[in-house]
Amino acid sequence: MADTQAAEPAVPEDEKQPRSVRVVLLALMITMMLAMLDNMIVGTAMPTIVGDLGGLEHLAWVVTAYTLATAASTPVWGKLGDMYGRKGAFMTSIVIFLIGSALSGMAQDMSQLIGFRAVQGLGAGGLMVGVMAIIGDLIPPRERGKYQGMMAGVMALAMIGGPLVGGTITDNWGWRWSFYINLPLGVVALTAISAVLHLPKKRAKARIDYLGVALLTVGITSIVLVTTWGGTEYAWTSARIMELIGIGVTSLIGFVFWQTKAAEPVVPLHIFRSRNFTLMSVIGFITGFVMFGATLYLPLYQQSVQGASATNSGLLLLPMLGAMLVTSMVAGRVTTNSGRYYVFPVVGSVLMVVGLYLLSLMDTGTSRFTSGVFMAVVGLGMGCLMQITMLVAQNSVEMKDMGVASSSTTLFRTLGSSFGVAIMGALFNHRVQDVMAERGGAAGAKMTEQSAQLDAASLAKLPDALREAYQHAVSSGTHSAFLLGSVVAVVALVAAVFVKEVPLKGAGPKAQDEESAAAPSAMAEAV
């Protein structure tokens, strides 16, 4: 801060800092967009990538390598920010992500692409954590609600725009630009953060907890592999899955034990002594479980049963994403003005349970309007939960633990999404195959033997009888998946009921105008 003041003595600090904070927030939103948009853009380009590089049998690893590296590195980035300074850790993660993006775009075969995606994932683990932790440093919790709508908007834009942007880039520029597009956006974010964000550097005397990092990495990797391979690559009861479960459980137990002994633990267990933090971790896990399951199987239902195109199925998610955006903005404003938030986790969980149950009632005759209303109910629930969970989690810890609090909450949501996609997927596939065998006979059973998800081209080639059987099968599969999601969401409701409303730190509405300029500067200096 002192260097900045010396360089620009003519600009009063109270005039300069709010403008600086706005620039930093814009850069943080760009970085958040990078983190969320990447997988959705790349997913659209996958068929073209396989056609160019070959290696269809390794296709799943393009996503799995990225997911594994992201999940395993997330808590490490949070801890590095707490120990050595938020700005340096965040910028390093962006640079690694951009290097991985550039290398992925230059890959010459599937093995190279998988390896480079892992590098990209290592950087991606620090992007979302860095965004949340820096916002936690700059903006007091009481004021942070105002920025929820901005973050929810970025999230909605990524979910809607990802497939559209990915398809447009792949068709017009080639699949390699699905990765290269990250570079100019990343450079803009890096430049703005480097020039405007001024947080004091930290130097921790304690060394990094390498054993804790190793145990956590092995544990998380095993869990993600179990949820990725279980029921697809290997049977749930196979020796490989059992081995991974054993390795994962043993590693995580060892990790928890070691965290009680380590001088500078990767995840300080004392943060879980806060009831609110623990409950928000549970709610975040359930929200990830539900959200990613819904966004995966709703487009499949819309394409297979309601006859939507791949592009339109993305746009048909607008009722859910729009409701999520509006509710998040309202929740943020109310939280900022009143300092109260207990009602949002409770109401959000109730809406999520009800919305998922309504989605489970959809069948082959459900109209797009009706399904849109059901999706809007789910979106209203998610909007109450998405940012409030992070806000309350950060408010439940001391400033020195802001990074690990942000990374732990992000990690639980990531693990929830892995479990959601895997468990809802296993249930969906099992149900589709059963119904196809019942309605389509031997031909139906053979058709879904390899995969329960058919693309639009394969569906169009089916005889009318088999197509109708498949539509009933997909409808039955989504019924089972969403009914499971509704049951799981009850856990979030139970957790929300036990949340204790602790006053948020920061200015109230009366002092808002006076403190909106001074709070970011004061927080930045206090870090």
Side-chain angles (χ1 to χ4, degrees):
M1 296 296 295
D3 293 342
T4 308
Q5 291 170 344
E8 302 177 68
V11 183
E13 181 66 22
D14 60 345
E15 293 179 13
K16 183 187 62 165
Q17 188 63 34
R19 186 164 57 250
S20 300
V21 170
R22 287 194 291 271
V23 174
V24 169
L25 286 172
L26 177 61
L28 294 178
M29 293 305 110
I30 292 174
T31 310
M32 188 175 175
M33 177 75 77
L34 286 176
M36 299 202 62
L37 205 58
D38 186 77
N39 258 340
M40 296 183 179
I41 290 180
V42 173
T44 310
M46 280 299 182
T48 308
I49 292 174
V50 172
D52 188 12
L53 299 182
L56 177 62
E57 67 276 14
H58 302 303
L59 177 62
W61 274 104
V62 176
V63 175
T64 302
Y66 180 90
T67 305
L68 281 174
T70 301
S73 63
T74 292
V76 179
W77 284 114
K79 188 62 182 177
L80 288 175
D82 285 342
M83 290 177 66
Y84 300 111
R86 208 84 67 208
K87 180 178 178 179
F90 184 51
M91 292 182 67
T92 302
S93 70
I94 296 176
V95 170
I96 293 175
F97 179 81
L98 296 182
I99 290 172
S101 298
L103 292 174
S104 295
M106 294 185 284
Q108 299 301 308
D109 57 47
M110 193 60 80
S111 297
Q112 288 184 11
L113 180 59
I114 291 168
F116 296 149
R117 283 283 284 166
V119 174
Q120 194 182 19
L122 286 175
L127 298 185
M128 190 68 77
V129 174
V131 169
M132 296 301 181
I134 290 174
I135 288 177
D137 280 349
L138 291 177
I139 312 296
R142 182 71 177 266
E143 303 299 314
R144 213 171 295 156
K146 292 189 293 187
Y147 302 97
Q148 286 180 218
M150 190 187 301
M151 290 184 277
V154 170
M155 197 172 296
L157 185 62
M159 289 180 178
I160 297 169
L164 299 175
V165 172
T168 302
I169 289 174
T170 303
D171 291 342
N172 293 285
W173 298 347
W175 67 265
R176 296 182 186 277
W177 276 95
S178 298
F179 298 103
Y180 292 151
I181 194 68
N182 293 329
L183 301 181
L185 292 174
V187 168
V188 169
L190 267 178
T191 303
I193 290 167
S194 175
V196 182
L197 178 62
H198 303 287
L199 299 175
K201 295 180 180 179
K202 299 180 182 179
R203 285 290 182 268
K205 296 179 180 178
R207 295 183 179 181
I208 296 174
D209 177 18
Y210 292 106
L211 179 58
V213 170
L215 288 170
L216 184 61
T217 300
V218 171
I220 291 174
T221 300
S222 300
I223 289 173
V224 174
L225 287 178
V226 166
T227 57
T228 304
W229 286 348
T232 53
E233 297 285 327
Y234 302 96
W236 284 103
T237 55
S238 66
R240 179 60 57 86
I241 296 298
M242 291 297 106
E243 287 171 3
L244 285 171
I245 291 174
I247 292 170
V249 170
T250 302
S251 298
L252 291 178
I253 291 174
F255 170 76
V256 171
F257 174 77
W258 176 247
Q259 293 306 280
T260 64
K261 308 292 183 184
E264 193 66 43
V266 180
V267 180
L269 299 184
H270 66 79
I271 62 175
F272 291 97
R273 293 174 190 161
S274 166
R275 182 172 76 182
N276 277 4
F277 181 84
T278 303
L279 292 173
M280 287 302 133
S281 298
V282 172
I283 294 173
F285 180 92
I286 302 300
T287 305
F289 187 106
V290 167
M291 186 178 75
F292 285 90
T295 53
L296 181 64
Y297 291 105
L298 277 172
L300 180 61
Y301 169 84
Q302 291 165 333
Q303 291 175 51
S304 302
V305 179
Q306 295 183 327
S309 67
T311 300
N312 285 341
S313 67
L315 294 176
L316 287 173
L317 290 176
L318 273 173
M320 182 175 74
L321 300 173
M324 184 177 78
L325 172 60
V326 171
T327 314
S328 185
M329 292 177 68
V330 171
R333 281 293 174 184
V334 171
T335 302
T336 296
N337 293 332
S338 68
R340 306 184 72 86
Y341 54 81
Y342 176 81
V343 65
F344 294 113
V346 175
V347 172
S349 299
V350 170
L351 289 171
M352 201 158 62
V353 171
V354 172
L356 287 165
Y357 177 72
L358 291 173
L359 288 177
S360 75
L361 300 179
M362 295 189 305
D363 55 26
T364 54
T366 303
S367 67
R368 291 185 182 180
F369 174 79
T370 302
S371 60
V373 172
F374 295 168
M375 282 188 279
V377 176
V378 176
L380 291 172
M382 288 184 186
C384 290
L385 294 173
M386 286 300 294
Q387 305 304 331
I388 287 290
T389 52
M390 180 66 73
L391 174 65
V392 178
Q394 290 180 336
N395 192 60
S396 303
V397 301
E398 297 177 28
M399 186 65 71
K400 66 183 180 65
D401 293 322
M402 185 68 71
V404 292
S406 302
S407 64
S408 298
T409 307
T410 304
L411 176 62
F412 278 109
R413 189 177 295 175
T414 302
L415 292 178
S417 68
S418 295
F419 275 89
V421 169
I423 297 173
M424 292 173 79
L427 197 61
F428 173 86
N429 292 341
H430 179 73
R431 191 63 191 143
V432 167
Q433 289 166 349
D434 283 352
V435 174
M436 283 302 291
E438 292 171 8
R439 288 180 169 266
K446 186 176 181 181
M447 189 177 74
T448 56
E449 192 172 55
Q450 298 297 323
S451 173
Q453 301 178 32
L454 302 181
D455 57 29
S458 302
L459 193 59
K461 295 175 184 177
L462 293 178
D464 291 342
L466 278 181
R467 188 185 304 115
E468 184 179 347
Y470 185 69
Q471 288 174 340
H472 280 282
V474 169
S475 177
S476 181
T478 51
H479 164 77
S480 298
F482 289 130
L483 190 59
L484 171 68
S486 180
V487 172
V488 171
V490 172
V491 178
L493 175 58
V494 173
V497 169
F498 288 98
V499 170
K500 182 180 180 182
E501 192 165 66
V502 178
L504 295 175
K505 305 157 191 169
K510 292 180 181 178
Q512 196 169 327
D513 292 338
E514 296 176 10
E515 296 202 17
S516 59
S521 176
M523 291 300 291
E525 291 176 1
V527 175

